[in-house]
Amino acid sequence: MRNRHPERHRTERAGWLRAAVLGANDGIVSVAGLVVGVAAAGSGAQGVLMAGIAGTVAGAMSMAAGEYVSVRSQLDTEHADLALERRELHDSPAQELEELAAIYRQRGLDAALSRQVAGQLSAHDALAAHARDELGITETLRARPLQAALASAVAFIVGAALPLVAALLAPPGRVEPVVIATTLVGLSLSGGLAAWAGGAAVARGAARVVFWGALAMVAASAVGRLFQVAL
C-alpha cells in the first residue's frame, strides 16, 4: 500500500537553512549599516554605492570562507569519530554490541529486547547503528561544508542587494532614511520567512531580527556622524 500520510520534517533543512538565514540577515544588516554610516558621514551617492558594493563582495567571501571552515571542522570531527568507531568494531565487536545494547536499555527497552535490537542492527550495518545511536551522526544532519558555504554566500549577496538598491533609488540627500526604512521592512520579512521555514513563531522571529538590525544601523549612523569623513 502507498503511504497516504507522508511526513515532511524540517530538520532536513537545518544545514542549508541555518547558513542561508545567517547569510541573508548578515548581508542586509552589515551592508545596510555600512551604507547608512557612509551616508551619515556626508558621502555622495557614488561613494555610498562603492562602499556598499565593496562590502557586499568582501562580506560574501567572508561568509563563505567562515561557513566552509567551521562546517569542514565539524565534518573532520565526524570522520575521526567514525574511523575510531570502525576500529573498535573490528577489534572488540562483542564489547561494541554490549555498548549498543546498553544505549537501548537506557532508552527504555528491557535487557533481552535491547540485545536483540542491537544484534539485528549490527548485523545489518554496525557502523551506521553506532554512528546514529552512539555518536548522533545521521545522514540528514551530516556536515556539508560546500553546501553551507554556497548557501551563505548567495544569501549574503541577495540580502545585501536590498540596501544597495534602496541607496541607488533614494532621492539625493535621503539615502540614510530610505535605506533604514527599506532594511527594517526587509529584515521583518526575512526573519518571518526564516521562522516560518523552521516552524517557529513568525512574529517573534521577525521582531528579534528587526531589533538587532535597527541597533546595528543606529550604531553605524552614530559612527558616521561622529567622524564626518566623506568618501
Side-chain angles (χ1 to χ4, degrees):
M1 293 180 61
R2 295 182 60 185
N3 186 358
R4 296 183 180 181
H5 183 60
E7 293 185 350
R8 301 183 64 182
H9 298 287
R10 292 179 172 88
T11 51
E12 61 190 31
R13 308 173 182 171
W16 65 264
L17 180 60
R18 181 197 62 82
V21 169
L22 180 62
N25 287 339
D26 197 29
I28 296 174
V29 173
S30 60
V31 174
L34 180 61
V35 167
V36 167
V38 173
S43 295
Q46 185 175 6
V48 170
L49 188 60
M50 289 304 299
I53 293 173
T56 299
V57 174
M61 294 298 295
S62 176
M63 288 296 293
E67 280 293 327
Y68 182 84
V69 170
S70 63
V71 180
R72 181 68 216 192
S73 297
Q74 178 186 342
L75 183 61
D76 290 341
T77 301
E78 291 179 0
H79 285 169
D81 283 343
L82 289 173
L84 176 60
E85 198 64 36
R86 191 178 290 109
R87 288 196 301 271
E88 291 178 346
L89 285 168
H90 180 269
D91 296 338
S92 308
Q95 183 177 345
E96 290 300 300
L97 180 64
E98 178 55 36
E99 186 176 28
L100 197 59
I103 292 173
Y104 299 141
R105 286 198 300 273
Q106 291 174 357
R107 294 180 181 177
L109 300 184
D110 60 43
L113 183 56
S114 64
R115 188 165 185 83
Q116 181 182 0
V117 172
Q120 291 187 4
L121 290 178
S122 296
H124 175 69
D125 190 337
L127 183 61
H130 281 270
R132 180 183 61 252
D133 296 322
E134 181 182 351
L135 304 177
I137 300 174
T138 65
E139 187 59 32
T140 300
L141 300 179
R142 286 289 298 272
R144 294 177 173 85
L146 289 176
Q147 182 191 66
L150 182 61
S152 182
V154 171
F156 185 97
I157 294 171
V158 172
L162 180 66
L164 282 178
V165 172
L168 188 62
L169 299 179
R174 302 292 296 171
V175 171
E176 188 178 352
V178 168
V179 170
I180 290 176
T182 304
T183 299
L184 292 179
V185 172
L187 285 174
S188 66
L189 292 175
S190 71
L193 181 61
W196 172 81
V202 173
R204 185 181 303 171
R208 62 192 175 203
V209 174
V210 168
F211 171 78
W212 289 108
L215 193 63
M217 286 186 290
V218 167
S221 179
V223 171
R225 295 180 188 281
L226 177 64
F227 291 98
Q228 288 287 314
V229 179
L231 299 178

PDB file of all heavy atoms in Angstrom, residues 132-173:
ATOM      1  N   ARG A 132      24.605   6.513  14.469  1.00  0.00           N
ATOM      2  CA  ARG A 132      23.318   7.142  14.770  1.00  0.00           C
ATOM      3  C   ARG A 132      23.040   7.177  16.263  1.00  0.00           C
ATOM      4  O   ARG A 132      22.689   8.225  16.820  1.00  0.00           O
ATOM      5  CB  ARG A 132      22.208   6.393  14.042  1.00  0.00           C
ATOM      6  CG  ARG A 132      20.800   6.958  14.284  1.00  0.00           C
ATOM      7  CD  ARG A 132      19.747   6.120  13.592  1.00  0.00           C
ATOM      8  NE  ARG A 132      19.737   4.739  14.078  1.00  0.00           N
ATOM      9  CZ  ARG A 132      20.170   3.690  13.375  1.00  0.00           C
ATOM     10  NH1 ARG A 132      20.655   3.853  12.156  1.00  0.00           N
ATOM     11  NH2 ARG A 132      20.119   2.462  13.887  1.00  0.00           N
ATOM     12  N   ASP A 133      23.168   6.040  16.939  1.00  0.00           N
ATOM     13  CA  ASP A 133      22.688   5.932  18.307  1.00  0.00           C
ATOM     14  C   ASP A 133      23.742   6.223  19.364  1.00  0.00           C
ATOM     15  O   ASP A 133      23.393   6.571  20.499  1.00  0.00           O
ATOM     16  CB  ASP A 133      22.113   4.526  18.536  1.00  0.00           C
ATOM     17  CG  ASP A 133      20.888   4.277  17.673  1.00  0.00           C
ATOM     18  OD1 ASP A 133      20.095   5.209  17.501  1.00  0.00           O
ATOM     19  OD2 ASP A 133      20.738   3.154  17.152  1.00  0.00           O
ATOM     20  N   GLU A 134      25.005   6.098  19.022  1.00  0.00           N
ATOM     21  CA  GLU A 134      26.067   6.416  19.986  1.00  0.00           C
ATOM     22  C   GLU A 134      26.657   7.796  19.752  1.00  0.00           C
ATOM     23  O   GLU A 134      26.872   8.561  20.693  1.00  0.00           O
ATOM     24  CB  GLU A 134      27.183   5.362  19.904  1.00  0.00           C
ATOM     25  CG  GLU A 134      28.307   5.612  20.905  1.00  0.00           C
ATOM     26  CD  GLU A 134      29.433   4.595  20.780  1.00  0.00           C
ATOM     27  OE1 GLU A 134      29.272   3.600  20.034  1.00  0.00           O
ATOM     28  OE2 GLU A 134      30.487   4.810  21.423  1.00  0.00           O
ATOM     29  N   LEU A 135      26.889   8.127  18.468  1.00  0.00           N
ATOM     30  CA  LEU A 135      27.549   9.394  18.138  1.00  0.00           C
ATOM     31  C   LEU A 135      26.584  10.493  17.739  1.00  0.00           C
ATOM     32  O   LEU A 135      26.963  11.662  17.696  1.00  0.00           O
ATOM     33  CB  LEU A 135      28.563   9.167  17.006  1.00  0.00           C
ATOM     34  CG  LEU A 135      29.634   8.107  17.261  1.00  0.00           C
ATOM     35  CD1 LEU A 135      30.505   7.936  16.029  1.00  0.00           C
ATOM     36  CD2 LEU A 135      30.475   8.485  18.469  1.00  0.00           C
ATOM     37  N   GLY A 136      25.350  10.138  17.395  1.00  0.00           N
ATOM     38  CA  GLY A 136      24.380  11.145  16.975  1.00  0.00           C
ATOM     39  C   GLY A 136      24.611  11.669  15.574  1.00  0.00           C
ATOM     40  O   GLY A 136      24.194  12.787  15.237  1.00  0.00           O
ATOM     41  N   ILE A 137      25.269  10.884  14.727  1.00  0.00           N
ATOM     42  CA  ILE A 137      25.542  11.279  13.346  1.00  0.00           C
ATOM     43  C   ILE A 137      24.545  10.597  12.425  1.00  0.00           C
ATOM     44  O   ILE A 137      24.472   9.368  12.380  1.00  0.00           O
ATOM     45  CB  ILE A 137      26.979  10.893  12.931  1.00  0.00           C
ATOM     46  CG1 ILE A 137      28.001  11.595  13.830  1.00  0.00           C
ATOM     47  CG2 ILE A 137      27.232  11.235  11.468  1.00  0.00           C
ATOM     48  CD1 ILE A 137      29.435  11.156  13.579  1.00  0.00           C
ATOM     49  N   THR A 138      23.745  11.386  11.712  1.00  0.00           N
ATOM     50  CA  THR A 138      22.785  10.845  10.757  1.00  0.00           C
ATOM     51  C   THR A 138      23.030  11.462   9.393  1.00  0.00           C
ATOM     52  O   THR A 138      23.642  12.533   9.277  1.00  0.00           O
ATOM     53  CB  THR A 138      21.342  11.131  11.187  1.00  0.00           C
ATOM     54  OG1 THR A 138      21.115  12.548  11.151  1.00  0.00           O
ATOM     55  CG2 THR A 138      21.072  10.598  12.592  1.00  0.00           C
ATOM     56  N   GLU A 139      22.535  10.814   8.360  1.00  0.00           N
ATOM     57  CA  GLU A 139      22.725  11.319   7.005  1.00  0.00           C
ATOM     58  C   GLU A 139      22.034  12.663   6.815  1.00  0.00           C
ATOM     59  O   GLU A 139      22.540  13.546   6.121  1.00  0.00           O
ATOM     60  CB  GLU A 139      22.181  10.301   5.990  1.00  0.00           C
ATOM     61  CG  GLU A 139      22.482  10.649   4.542  1.00  0.00           C
ATOM     62  CD  GLU A 139      23.981  10.757   4.263  1.00  0.00           C
ATOM     63  OE1 GLU A 139      24.773  10.043   4.895  1.00  0.00           O
ATOM     64  OE2 GLU A 139      24.357  11.595   3.400  1.00  0.00           O
ATOM     65  N   THR A 140      20.883  12.842   7.427  1.00  0.00           N
ATOM     66  CA  THR A 140      20.136  14.090   7.280  1.00  0.00           C
ATOM     67  C   THR A 140      20.891  15.272   7.847  1.00  0.00           C
ATOM     68  O   THR A 140      20.893  16.371   7.272  1.00  0.00           O
ATOM     69  CB  THR A 140      18.771  13.979   7.989  1.00  0.00           C
ATOM     70  OG1 THR A 140      18.036  12.907   7.397  1.00  0.00           O
ATOM     71  CG2 THR A 140      17.977  15.270   7.846  1.00  0.00           C
ATOM     72  N   LEU A 141      21.555  15.060   8.986  1.00  0.00           N
ATOM     73  CA  LEU A 141      22.224  16.161   9.681  1.00  0.00           C
ATOM     74  C   LEU A 141      23.735  16.144   9.510  1.00  0.00           C
ATOM     75  O   LEU A 141      24.444  16.819  10.260  1.00  0.00           O
ATOM     76  CB  LEU A 141      21.866  16.119  11.170  1.00  0.00           C
ATOM     77  CG  LEU A 141      20.372  16.243  11.496  1.00  0.00           C
ATOM     78  CD1 LEU A 141      20.147  16.165  12.996  1.00  0.00           C
ATOM     79  CD2 LEU A 141      19.816  17.554  10.946  1.00  0.00           C
ATOM     80  N   ARG A 142      24.242  15.388   8.532  1.00  0.00           N
ATOM     81  CA  ARG A 142      25.680  15.363   8.296  1.00  0.00           C
ATOM     82  C   ARG A 142      26.174  16.747   7.894  1.00  0.00           C
ATOM     83  O   ARG A 142      25.488  17.513   7.223  1.00  0.00           O
ATOM     84  CB  ARG A 142      26.025  14.376   7.176  1.00  0.00           C
ATOM     85  CG  ARG A 142      25.918  12.920   7.564  1.00  0.00           C
ATOM     86  CD  ARG A 142      27.021  12.486   8.519  1.00  0.00           C
ATOM     87  NE  ARG A 142      28.340  12.597   7.952  1.00  0.00           N
ATOM     88  CZ  ARG A 142      28.938  11.647   7.235  1.00  0.00           C
ATOM     89  NH1 ARG A 142      28.303  10.505   6.992  1.00  0.00           N
ATOM     90  NH2 ARG A 142      30.158  11.808   6.783  1.00  0.00           N
ATOM     91  N   ALA A 143      27.401  17.065   8.289  1.00  0.00           N
ATOM     92  CA  ALA A 143      28.015  18.338   7.923  1.00  0.00           C
ATOM     93  C   ALA A 143      28.311  18.358   6.421  1.00  0.00           C
ATOM     94  O   ALA A 143      28.879  17.402   5.886  1.00  0.00           O
ATOM     95  CB  ALA A 143      29.305  18.536   8.715  1.00  0.00           C
ATOM     96  N   ARG A 144      27.924  19.443   5.751  1.00  0.00           N
ATOM     97  CA  ARG A 144      28.146  19.595   4.308  1.00  0.00           C
ATOM     98  C   ARG A 144      28.780  20.968   4.071  1.00  0.00           C
ATOM     99  O   ARG A 144      28.069  21.961   3.860  1.00  0.00           O
ATOM    100  CB  ARG A 144      26.830  19.447   3.544  1.00  0.00           C
ATOM    101  CG  ARG A 144      26.238  18.036   3.632  1.00  0.00           C
ATOM    102  CD  ARG A 144      24.893  17.947   2.917  1.00  0.00           C
ATOM    103  NE  ARG A 144      24.412  16.573   2.861  1.00  0.00           N
ATOM    104  CZ  ARG A 144      23.726  15.984   3.837  1.00  0.00           C
ATOM    105  NH1 ARG A 144      23.447  16.651   4.945  1.00  0.00           N
ATOM    106  NH2 ARG A 144      23.319  14.730   3.720  1.00  0.00           N
ATOM    107  N   PRO A 145      30.101  21.054   4.088  1.00  0.00           N
ATOM    108  CA  PRO A 145      30.792  22.346   4.022  1.00  0.00           C
ATOM    109  C   PRO A 145      30.492  23.146   2.765  1.00  0.00           C
ATOM    110  O   PRO A 145      30.236  24.356   2.839  1.00  0.00           O
ATOM    111  CB  PRO A 145      32.279  21.963   4.099  1.00  0.00           C
ATOM    112  CG  PRO A 145      32.305  20.602   4.691  1.00  0.00           C
ATOM    113  CD  PRO A 145      31.052  19.934   4.262  1.00  0.00           C
ATOM    114  N   LEU A 146      30.547  22.523   1.602  1.00  0.00           N
ATOM    115  CA  LEU A 146      30.325  23.257   0.361  1.00  0.00           C
ATOM    116  C   LEU A 146      28.897  23.788   0.276  1.00  0.00           C
ATOM    117  O   LEU A 146      28.673  24.920  -0.175  1.00  0.00           O
ATOM    118  CB  LEU A 146      30.634  22.360  -0.847  1.00  0.00           C
ATOM    119  CG  LEU A 146      32.118  22.053  -1.074  1.00  0.00           C
ATOM    120  CD1 LEU A 146      32.285  21.076  -2.241  1.00  0.00           C
ATOM    121  CD2 LEU A 146      32.897  23.334  -1.352  1.00  0.00           C
ATOM    122  N   GLN A 147      27.944  22.979   0.689  1.00  0.00           N
ATOM    123  CA  GLN A 147      26.556  23.419   0.678  1.00  0.00           C
ATOM    124  C   GLN A 147      26.374  24.622   1.597  1.00  0.00           C
ATOM    125  O   GLN A 147      25.712  25.604   1.237  1.00  0.00           O
ATOM    126  CB  GLN A 147      25.640  22.278   1.121  1.00  0.00           C
ATOM    127  CG  GLN A 147      24.162  22.634   1.099  1.00  0.00           C
ATOM    128  CD  GLN A 147      23.314  21.585   1.793  1.00  0.00           C
ATOM    129  OE1 GLN A 147      23.407  21.386   2.998  1.00  0.00           O
ATOM    130  NE2 GLN A 147      22.470  20.895   1.028  1.00  0.00           N
ATOM    131  N   ALA A 148      26.948  24.553   2.784  1.00  0.00           N
ATOM    132  CA  ALA A 148      26.824  25.658   3.741  1.00  0.00           C
ATOM    133  C   ALA A 148      27.502  26.919   3.221  1.00  0.00           C
ATOM    134  O   ALA A 148      26.960  28.030   3.343  1.00  0.00           O
ATOM    135  CB  ALA A 148      27.433  25.255   5.080  1.00  0.00           C
ATOM    136  N   ALA A 149      28.694  26.783   2.625  1.00  0.00           N
ATOM    137  CA  ALA A 149      29.414  27.941   2.106  1.00  0.00           C
ATOM    138  C   ALA A 149      28.652  28.598   0.961  1.00  0.00           C
ATOM    139  O   ALA A 149      28.515  29.832   0.906  1.00  0.00           O
ATOM    140  CB  ALA A 149      30.810  27.519   1.635  1.00  0.00           C
ATOM    141  N   LEU A 150      28.148  27.795   0.042  1.00  0.00           N
ATOM    142  CA  LEU A 150      27.419  28.338  -1.105  1.00  0.00           C
ATOM    143  C   LEU A 150      26.120  29.007  -0.665  1.00  0.00           C
ATOM    144  O   LEU A 150      25.800  30.118  -1.106  1.00  0.00           O
ATOM    145  CB  LEU A 150      27.129  27.227  -2.105  1.00  0.00           C
ATOM    146  CG  LEU A 150      26.406  27.646  -3.397  1.00  0.00           C
ATOM    147  CD1 LEU A 150      27.248  28.652  -4.164  1.00  0.00           C
ATOM    148  CD2 LEU A 150      26.105  26.436  -4.265  1.00  0.00           C
ATOM    149  N   ALA A 151      25.373  28.349   0.211  1.00  0.00           N
ATOM    150  CA  ALA A 151      24.114  28.914   0.685  1.00  0.00           C
ATOM    151  C   ALA A 151      24.355  30.235   1.407  1.00  0.00           C
ATOM    152  O   ALA A 151      23.604  31.208   1.224  1.00  0.00           O
ATOM    153  CB  ALA A 151      23.410  27.927   1.615  1.00  0.00           C
ATOM    154  N   SER A 152      25.405  30.300   2.198  1.00  0.00           N
ATOM    155  CA  SER A 152      25.702  31.505   2.958  1.00  0.00           C
ATOM    156  C   SER A 152      26.110  32.657   2.042  1.00  0.00           C
ATOM    157  O   SER A 152      25.642  33.786   2.207  1.00  0.00           O
ATOM    158  CB  SER A 152      26.815  31.213   3.965  1.00  0.00           C
ATOM    159  OG  SER A 152      27.097  32.349   4.739  1.00  0.00           O
ATOM    160  N   ALA A 153      26.981  32.382   1.066  1.00  0.00           N
ATOM    161  CA  ALA A 153      27.454  33.439   0.169  1.00  0.00           C
ATOM    162  C   ALA A 153      26.334  33.969  -0.712  1.00  0.00           C
ATOM    163  O   ALA A 153      26.172  35.193  -0.877  1.00  0.00           O
ATOM    164  CB  ALA A 153      28.599  32.909  -0.697  1.00  0.00           C
ATOM    165  N   VAL A 154      25.553  33.069  -1.296  1.00  0.00           N
ATOM    166  CA  VAL A 154      24.448  33.507  -2.169  1.00  0.00           C
ATOM    167  C   VAL A 154      23.420  34.295  -1.368  1.00  0.00           C
ATOM    168  O   VAL A 154      22.928  35.345  -1.815  1.00  0.00           O
ATOM    169  CB  VAL A 154      23.793  32.290  -2.853  1.00  0.00           C
ATOM    170  CG1 VAL A 154      22.522  32.692  -3.573  1.00  0.00           C
ATOM    171  CG2 VAL A 154      24.762  31.651  -3.839  1.00  0.00           C
ATOM    172  N   ALA A 155      23.083  33.805  -0.182  1.00  0.00           N
ATOM    173  CA  ALA A 155      22.106  34.504   0.652  1.00  0.00           C
ATOM    174  C   ALA A 155      22.625  35.877   1.073  1.00  0.00           C
ATOM    175  O   ALA A 155      21.856  36.839   1.152  1.00  0.00           O
ATOM    176  CB  ALA A 155      21.777  33.666   1.883  1.00  0.00           C
ATOM    177  N   PHE A 156      23.926  35.977   1.347  1.00  0.00           N
ATOM    178  CA  PHE A 156      24.505  37.269   1.715  1.00  0.00           C
ATOM    179  C   PHE A 156      24.343  38.265   0.572  1.00  0.00           C
ATOM    180  O   PHE A 156      23.951  39.423   0.783  1.00  0.00           O
ATOM    181  CB  PHE A 156      25.994  37.106   2.056  1.00  0.00           C
ATOM    182  CG  PHE A 156      26.631  38.368   2.569  1.00  0.00           C
ATOM    183  CD1 PHE A 156      26.771  38.582   3.927  1.00  0.00           C
ATOM    184  CD2 PHE A 156      27.104  39.340   1.700  1.00  0.00           C
ATOM    185  CE1 PHE A 156      27.356  39.751   4.415  1.00  0.00           C
ATOM    186  CE2 PHE A 156      27.689  40.505   2.164  1.00  0.00           C
ATOM    187  CZ  PHE A 156      27.815  40.714   3.522  1.00  0.00           C
ATOM    188  N   ILE A 157      24.640  37.843  -0.647  1.00  0.00           N
ATOM    189  CA  ILE A 157      24.531  38.733  -1.805  1.00  0.00           C
ATOM    190  C   ILE A 157      23.079  39.166  -2.020  1.00  0.00           C
ATOM    191  O   ILE A 157      22.795  40.341  -2.292  1.00  0.00           O
ATOM    192  CB  ILE A 157      25.084  38.041  -3.066  1.00  0.00           C
ATOM    193  CG1 ILE A 157      26.595  37.828  -2.913  1.00  0.00           C
ATOM    194  CG2 ILE A 157      24.793  38.856  -4.316  1.00  0.00           C
ATOM    195  CD1 ILE A 157      27.203  36.969  -3.996  1.00  0.00           C
ATOM    196  N   VAL A 158      22.157  38.204  -1.899  1.00  0.00           N
ATOM    197  CA  VAL A 158      20.734  38.536  -2.057  1.00  0.00           C
ATOM    198  C   VAL A 158      20.298  39.528  -0.982  1.00  0.00           C
ATOM    199  O   VAL A 158      19.592  40.511  -1.262  1.00  0.00           O
ATOM    200  CB  VAL A 158      19.875  37.257  -1.998  1.00  0.00           C
ATOM    201  CG1 VAL A 158      18.390  37.604  -1.956  1.00  0.00           C
ATOM    202  CG2 VAL A 158      20.165  36.372  -3.204  1.00  0.00           C
ATOM    203  N   GLY A 159      20.717  39.294   0.258  1.00  0.00           N
ATOM    204  CA  GLY A 159      20.366  40.217   1.326  1.00  0.00           C
ATOM    205  C   GLY A 159      20.980  41.586   1.136  1.00  0.00           C
ATOM    206  O   GLY A 159      20.326  42.617   1.342  1.00  0.00           O
ATOM    207  N   ALA A 160      22.241  41.628   0.712  1.00  0.00           N
ATOM    208  CA  ALA A 160      22.936  42.903   0.531  1.00  0.00           C
ATOM    209  C   ALA A 160      22.338  43.722  -0.608  1.00  0.00           C
ATOM    210  O   ALA A 160      22.466  44.958  -0.636  1.00  0.00           O
ATOM    211  CB  ALA A 160      24.415  42.643   0.267  1.00  0.00           C
ATOM    212  N   ALA A 161      21.696  43.042  -1.563  1.00  0.00           N
ATOM    213  CA  ALA A 161      21.107  43.759  -2.697  1.00  0.00           C
ATOM    214  C   ALA A 161      20.018  44.730  -2.244  1.00  0.00           C
ATOM    215  O   ALA A 161      19.791  45.766  -2.882  1.00  0.00           O
ATOM    216  CB  ALA A 161      20.539  42.760  -3.706  1.00  0.00           C
ATOM    217  N   LEU A 162      19.337  44.410  -1.151  1.00  0.00           N
ATOM    218  CA  LEU A 162      18.238  45.261  -0.684  1.00  0.00           C
ATOM    219  C   LEU A 162      18.702  46.671  -0.321  1.00  0.00           C
ATOM    220  O   LEU A 162      18.202  47.652  -0.884  1.00  0.00           O
ATOM    221  CB  LEU A 162      17.531  44.588   0.489  1.00  0.00           C
ATOM    222  CG  LEU A 162      16.358  45.358   1.089  1.00  0.00           C
ATOM    223  CD1 LEU A 162      15.215  45.457   0.079  1.00  0.00           C
ATOM    224  CD2 LEU A 162      15.852  44.678   2.360  1.00  0.00           C
ATOM    225  N   PRO A 163      19.659  46.837   0.602  1.00  0.00           N
ATOM    226  CA  PRO A 163      20.109  48.205   0.910  1.00  0.00           C
ATOM    227  C   PRO A 163      20.827  48.870  -0.258  1.00  0.00           C
ATOM    228  O   PRO A 163      20.772  50.096  -0.395  1.00  0.00           O
ATOM    229  CB  PRO A 163      21.048  48.015   2.113  1.00  0.00           C
ATOM    230  CG  PRO A 163      21.455  46.592   2.071  1.00  0.00           C
ATOM    231  CD  PRO A 163      20.297  45.852   1.501  1.00  0.00           C
ATOM    232  N   LEU A 164      21.490  48.084  -1.116  1.00  0.00           N
ATOM    233  CA  LEU A 164      22.163  48.673  -2.275  1.00  0.00           C
ATOM    234  C   LEU A 164      21.153  49.279  -3.250  1.00  0.00           C
ATOM    235  O   LEU A 164      21.334  50.407  -3.728  1.00  0.00           O
ATOM    236  CB  LEU A 164      23.010  47.622  -2.990  1.00  0.00           C
ATOM    237  CG  LEU A 164      24.354  47.266  -2.359  1.00  0.00           C
ATOM    238  CD1 LEU A 164      25.038  46.182  -3.170  1.00  0.00           C
ATOM    239  CD2 LEU A 164      25.241  48.499  -2.265  1.00  0.00           C
ATOM    240  N   VAL A 165      20.108  48.539  -3.553  1.00  0.00           N
ATOM    241  CA  VAL A 165      19.077  49.058  -4.464  1.00  0.00           C
ATOM    242  C   VAL A 165      18.370  50.252  -3.833  1.00  0.00           C
ATOM    243  O   VAL A 165      18.067  51.245  -4.507  1.00  0.00           O
ATOM    244  CB  VAL A 165      18.067  47.939  -4.807  1.00  0.00           C
ATOM    245  CG1 VAL A 165      16.878  48.503  -5.579  1.00  0.00           C
ATOM    246  CG2 VAL A 165      18.748  46.859  -5.636  1.00  0.00           C
ATOM    247  N   ALA A 166      18.109  50.171  -2.528  1.00  0.00           N
ATOM    248  CA  ALA A 166      17.462  51.294  -1.844  1.00  0.00           C
ATOM    249  C   ALA A 166      18.330  52.547  -1.912  1.00  0.00           C
ATOM    250  O   ALA A 166      17.833  53.656  -2.155  1.00  0.00           O
ATOM    251  CB  ALA A 166      17.187  50.921  -0.387  1.00  0.00           C
ATOM    252  N   ALA A 167      19.636  52.397  -1.716  1.00  0.00           N
ATOM    253  CA  ALA A 167      20.548  53.544  -1.802  1.00  0.00           C
ATOM    254  C   ALA A 167      20.613  54.097  -3.211  1.00  0.00           C
ATOM    255  O   ALA A 167      20.688  55.321  -3.418  1.00  0.00           O
ATOM    256  CB  ALA A 167      21.941  53.131  -1.329  1.00  0.00           C
ATOM    257  N   LEU A 168      20.575  53.200  -4.188  1.00  0.00           N
ATOM    258  CA  LEU A 168      20.655  53.625  -5.587  1.00  0.00           C
ATOM    259  C   LEU A 168      19.416  54.401  -6.012  1.00  0.00           C
ATOM    260  O   LEU A 168      19.504  55.368  -6.783  1.00  0.00           O
ATOM    261  CB  LEU A 168      20.830  52.393  -6.476  1.00  0.00           C
ATOM    262  CG  LEU A 168      21.123  52.622  -7.956  1.00  0.00           C
ATOM    263  CD1 LEU A 168      22.441  53.353  -8.133  1.00  0.00           C
ATOM    264  CD2 LEU A 168      21.143  51.298  -8.704  1.00  0.00           C
ATOM    265  N   LEU A 169      18.251  54.015  -5.507  1.00  0.00           N
ATOM    266  CA  LEU A 169      16.988  54.642  -5.920  1.00  0.00           C
ATOM    267  C   LEU A 169      16.558  55.794  -5.014  1.00  0.00           C
ATOM    268  O   LEU A 169      15.593  56.489  -5.330  1.00  0.00           O
ATOM    269  CB  LEU A 169      15.878  53.588  -5.947  1.00  0.00           C
ATOM    270  CG  LEU A 169      16.083  52.417  -6.919  1.00  0.00           C
ATOM    271  CD1 LEU A 169      14.909  51.440  -6.825  1.00  0.00           C
ATOM    272  CD2 LEU A 169      16.248  52.915  -8.347  1.00  0.00           C
ATOM    273  N   ALA A 170      17.255  55.984  -3.906  1.00  0.00           N
ATOM    274  CA  ALA A 170      16.860  57.028  -2.958  1.00  0.00           C
ATOM    275  C   ALA A 170      17.093  58.413  -3.543  1.00  0.00           C
ATOM    276  O   ALA A 170      18.071  58.634  -4.282  1.00  0.00           O
ATOM    277  CB  ALA A 170      17.642  56.874  -1.658  1.00  0.00           C
ATOM    278  N   PRO A 171      16.223  59.374  -3.238  1.00  0.00           N
ATOM    279  CA  PRO A 171      16.442  60.761  -3.689  1.00  0.00           C
ATOM    280  C   PRO A 171      17.713  61.336  -3.077  1.00  0.00           C
ATOM    281  O   PRO A 171      18.128  60.901  -1.994  1.00  0.00           O
ATOM    282  CB  PRO A 171      15.198  61.494  -3.169  1.00  0.00           C
ATOM    283  CG  PRO A 171      14.193  60.428  -2.875  1.00  0.00           C
ATOM    284  CD  PRO A 171      14.977  59.226  -2.481  1.00  0.00           C
ATOM    285  N   PRO A 172      18.362  62.261  -3.732  1.00  0.00           N
ATOM    286  CA  PRO A 172      19.581  62.874  -3.180  1.00  0.00           C
ATOM    287  C   PRO A 172      19.327  63.445  -1.782  1.00  0.00           C
ATOM    288  O   PRO A 172      18.330  64.117  -1.534  1.00  0.00           O
ATOM    289  CB  PRO A 172      19.890  63.999  -4.185  1.00  0.00           C
ATOM    290  CG  PRO A 172      19.251  63.540  -5.460  1.00  0.00           C
ATOM    291  CD  PRO A 172      18.018  62.806  -5.052  1.00  0.00           C
ATOM    292  N   GLY A 173      20.229  63.136  -0.887  1.00  0.00           N
ATOM    293  CA  GLY A 173      20.116  63.624   0.479  1.00  0.00           C
ATOM    294  C   GLY A 173      19.181  62.820   1.356  1.00  0.00           C
ATOM    295  O   GLY A 173      19.028  63.123   2.543  1.00  0.00           O
TER     296      GLY A 173
END
